[in-house]
Amino acid sequence: MLHPGQLSQQLLLQQAQICTVDSFCSSIVREFFYLLGIAPDFSVVSDKQQEELMTEAVSEVLAELYGDADFQALSDSLSGDKNDTRLIGAILKLFTYTRSHPFPEKWLRDMTAMLDDSVPAGQTAWGQTALRHAGAVLEFALKLSGDEYKLASESAELQKAYGDGILADIALLQHLADLVEAGSWDDVSAAFRTLAFGKIGVYRGADAVKERIKAMRETVKKEVGKLQKLFVSDDAACRAEIRAIRPLAETLARAVLRFDAVYGEKKRAKNLVDFSDLEHLALRLFLEETPDGFRRTETAEAVAARFDEVMTDEYQDTNDAQDYLFRAVSKDNGNRFMVGDVKQSIYSFRQAMPDIFIRYKDEFPRYDRGADTYPATIVLDRNFRSRREVTDAVNYVFGQLMSPEAGDVEYTGTERLAAGAQYPDQPGCAARLDIIDLSQGPDTPSEIAESRHIAQMISRMIADGVQVTDGGEQRACTWGDFCILLRSANKYAP
């Protein structure tokens, strides 16, 4: 039975505008079409139509621009004497990416402006990224080398054969790490260009620990060796490259903008829009450029007045353009509620930007029930669907794999799952990893062997009457209690 307050909320729910971003933008554009100078009866382009129009547009742009010497230089740098495939790919890929930003032309200007040869290589965005990456790799290499030394120390013979060589590796790696930390590009570049690992001693015996040490050292040499390619050029050479690249980047940006114009004309001629058009048309209605940036229009103020709250789910899958939209229709960002989980962000290939949600989460203070002030971050870390054995296993795996560089989060503290449900104690619920060895048996495809193993395991659990919790009560498991998760169901599932 509903509480009176819940009943009133349920009635109000009928008045809420619940929709996708595309649906919202479409309704706004149709409502204010007269301010945009477009017909309100437009259609959304199909995938096939879009492909045809983009192919026509890029062909016309290439034919138009090939008379330009700068564009010819861009074509030569990308395609050489072969064909235009790489050039066309670069134009289309960059165009698609710019559409995830609210102001594509400004973004292109800002990006090309970053190609400034007056900035030291180590202070450029690329140089800083390379130095950070080198620091992380060297930290890993030092840890692995330390583990090598500990293993060698367990045996007097291995210590005698390998100890000094491993210590020399550690000294070399620490020297490189110190140079990277200091940040002098030329010093780092010189050190990597002359990098050479010494030889370690010889141990004649057959020993599994020996093979493990050798494999660990090879991993260190391989990963550190990859860094040499990042620092092959000194500061002067890097600046010369940036100086050479900038006119090519500016030409590519002009080609993208020209493609945008031609593609847009073709869509307008057929009264078509694509989904990114809907977002950018809505942005044109909501924001106008000023010398100090952008400000909301009267249209944005009027639309924002319609909403008491702006609630957005799956915020980790939004992009910059969508974030600007939500901000534009809110009341100075003060009546927004965002829900998301960066660990579930799977749409980077569609230009999703999980760092936007991370920024909000990190900037807002933790919610204080006593103060009840906003903005605030509310952490929903309790899992009510799984046993503690499951959450513990997930935490262990994610804790090994996830970091800000790989997975966008440091999997510690509130990022970890906390078991919130209570289940009766029961043996046999621990997470388990089964390894199927195909080397000794018949030539069976791995997917068949894996399927048979899973089927046997489920049949055995059914036969043994393994207990599950259902509605707070214990009962024997049935076939419907099992779920098999696949990375992709297209190939193997019916």
Side-chain angles (χ1 to χ4, degrees):
M1 184 174 182
L2 291 175
H3 185 276
Q6 293 176 317
L7 181 59
S8 64
Q9 288 297 309
Q10 191 175 61
L11 293 173
L12 289 172
L13 187 62
Q14 308 305 316
Q15 303 175 34
Q17 184 174 352
I18 302 173
C19 59
T20 64
V21 178
D22 294 330
S23 176
F24 171 73
C25 291
S26 178
S27 66
I28 290 296
V29 171
R30 292 183 194 279
E31 180 180 355
F32 295 100
F33 72 94
Y34 55 91
L35 297 177
L36 295 165
I38 64 173
D41 59 344
F42 59 80
S43 300
V44 175
V45 66
S46 67
D47 290 343
K48 186 174 186 303
Q49 289 174 313
Q50 185 176 43
E51 182 181 355
E52 292 173 350
L53 293 177
M54 293 180 84
T55 300
E56 291 176 11
V58 76
S59 297
E60 290 180 18
V61 168
L62 291 183
E64 175 185 325
L65 295 181
Y66 257 127
D68 181 84
D70 290 337
F71 187 78
Q72 184 64 58
L74 173 66
S75 175
D76 292 342
S77 69
L78 288 175
S79 303
D81 297 328
K82 297 179 181 179
N83 54 51
D84 294 326
T85 301
R86 290 183 62 193
L87 176 61
I88 292 172
I91 293 172
L92 296 181
K93 185 174 182 179
L94 185 55
F95 166 76
T96 300
Y97 185 76
T98 62
R99 303 298 287 177
S100 66
H101 291 272
F103 316 108
E105 186 171 355
K106 178 181 182 301
W107 184 85
L108 286 169
R109 289 198 308 268
D110 291 345
M111 292 301 103
T112 52
M114 290 173 65
L115 293 164
D116 184 353
D117 66 333
S118 69
V119 179
Q123 296 178 24
T124 64
W126 306 278
Q128 291 175 350
T129 299
L131 289 170
R132 282 195 302 271
H133 174 66
V137 170
L138 291 168
E139 181 182 1
F140 162 77
L142 280 164
K143 182 181 183 305
L144 199 56
S145 296
D147 291 342
E148 289 175 43
Y149 189 78
K150 289 178 183 178
L151 282 175
S153 300
E154 295 174 1
S155 162
E157 292 82 2
L158 287 171
Q159 170 72 18
K160 181 179 178 181
Y162 296 152
D164 289 344
I166 296 173
L167 288 176
D169 287 351
I170 292 174
L172 173 62
L173 294 169
Q174 189 60 60
H175 174 63
L176 291 171
D178 292 341
L179 290 177
V180 168
E181 179 68 24
S184 170
W185 186 270
D186 279 345
D187 290 346
V188 173
S189 175
F192 274 107
R193 289 201 306 273
T194 58
L195 173 65
F197 283 88
K199 293 184 178 180
I200 60 174
V202 177
Y203 179 75
R204 302 293 184 186
D207 191 313
V209 176
K210 163 193 166 181
E211 297 303 323
R212 186 176 175 191
I213 291 173
K214 289 174 63 177
M216 293 165 73
R217 189 168 189 262
E218 284 303 311
T219 298
V220 168
K221 292 170 64 177
K222 178 182 177 182
E223 294 305 316
V224 174
K226 292 177 183 178
L227 297 177
Q228 289 182 291
K229 297 179 181 179
L230 292 178
F231 300 99
V232 69
S233 301
D234 61 14
D235 181 76
C238 286
R239 294 193 194 210
E241 285 187 39
I242 290 173
R243 191 161 49 249
I245 288 171
R246 177 155 182 167
L248 298 175
E250 291 174 339
T251 301
L252 178 59
R254 288 197 298 273
V256 168
L257 292 175
R258 183 58 189 146
F259 169 79
D260 185 18
V262 174
Y263 176 48
E265 290 168 3
K266 290 184 175 295
K267 286 182 289 185
R268 284 190 292 275
K270 297 179 178 293
N271 200 22
L272 296 172
V273 298
D274 60 31
F275 289 118
S276 69
D277 288 332
L278 293 174
E279 292 178 359
H280 285 86
L281 288 169
L283 284 168
R284 277 174 52 190
L285 290 168
F286 292 155
L287 299 171
E288 59 186 2
E289 191 168 5
T290 70
D292 299 322
F294 295 86
R295 69 183 177 197
R296 292 200 299 176
T297 63
E298 292 183 1
T299 304
E301 298 283 357
V303 173
R306 301 174 183 177
F307 304 114
D308 293 324
E309 303 286 345
V310 178
M311 300 182 176
T312 316
D313 196 10
E314 305 291 0
Y315 214 88
Q316 77 278 354
D317 291 326
T318 58
N319 59 38
D320 207 20
Q322 293 164 350
D323 184 57
Y324 267 78
L325 278 170
F326 300 136
R327 288 158 60 184
V329 297
S330 69
K331 295 173 182 175
D332 295 324
N333 232 16
N335 62 330
R336 297 180 61 195
F337 190 83
M338 297 163 276
V339 178
D341 181 358
V342 175
K343 296 185 288 296
Q344 296 186 39
S345 180
I346 59 173
Y347 291 111
S348 58
F349 67 96
R350 294 182 183 171
Q351 289 74 55
M353 300 174 182
D355 54 297
I356 296 174
F357 183 70
I358 293 173
R359 185 176 69 245
Y360 283 125
K361 179 177 70 71
D362 292 344
E363 287 178 356
F364 294 166
R366 287 288 187 264
Y367 174 68
D368 183 342
R369 187 180 297 274
D372 198 32
T373 57
Y374 303 93
T377 294
I378 302 172
V379 178
L380 305 175
D381 60 344
R382 304 196 72 77
N383 180 296
F384 294 94
R385 299 179 178 179
S386 307
R387 282 181 171 271
R388 183 175 300 278
E389 292 90 341
V390 174
T391 57
D392 286 349
V394 170
N395 286 337
Y396 175 78
V397 173
F398 282 7
Q400 309 304 309
L401 300 178
M402 286 193 169
S403 67
E405 296 76 23
D408 296 311
V409 293
E410 189 72 55
Y411 198 78
T412 58
T414 56
E415 293 296 340
R416 294 170 60 84
L417 295 175
Q422 297 296 321
Y423 289 93
D425 289 335
Q426 182 174 318
C429 293
R432 180 175 109 191
L433 174 64
D434 290 1
I435 298 175
I436 303 173
D437 184 1
L438 299 178
S439 62
Q440 304 301 319
D443 188 16
T444 303
S446 60
E447 60 270 20
I448 299 299
E450 187 174 344
S451 300
R452 288 173 179 168
H453 181 78
I454 293 171
Q456 291 167 1
M457 184 172 62
I458 294 174
S459 296
R460 186 163 52 250
M461 293 176 72
I462 292 285
D464 292 344
V466 171
Q467 298 291 295
V468 297
T469 304
D470 185 359
E473 301 292 332
Q474 292 286 99
R475 62 166 174 79
C477 63
T478 63
W479 300 109
D481 293 318
F482 292 89
C483 177
I484 301 171
L485 300 180
L486 302 171
R487 184 177 181 87
S488 172
N490 295 335
K491 185 175 180 180
Y492 303 117

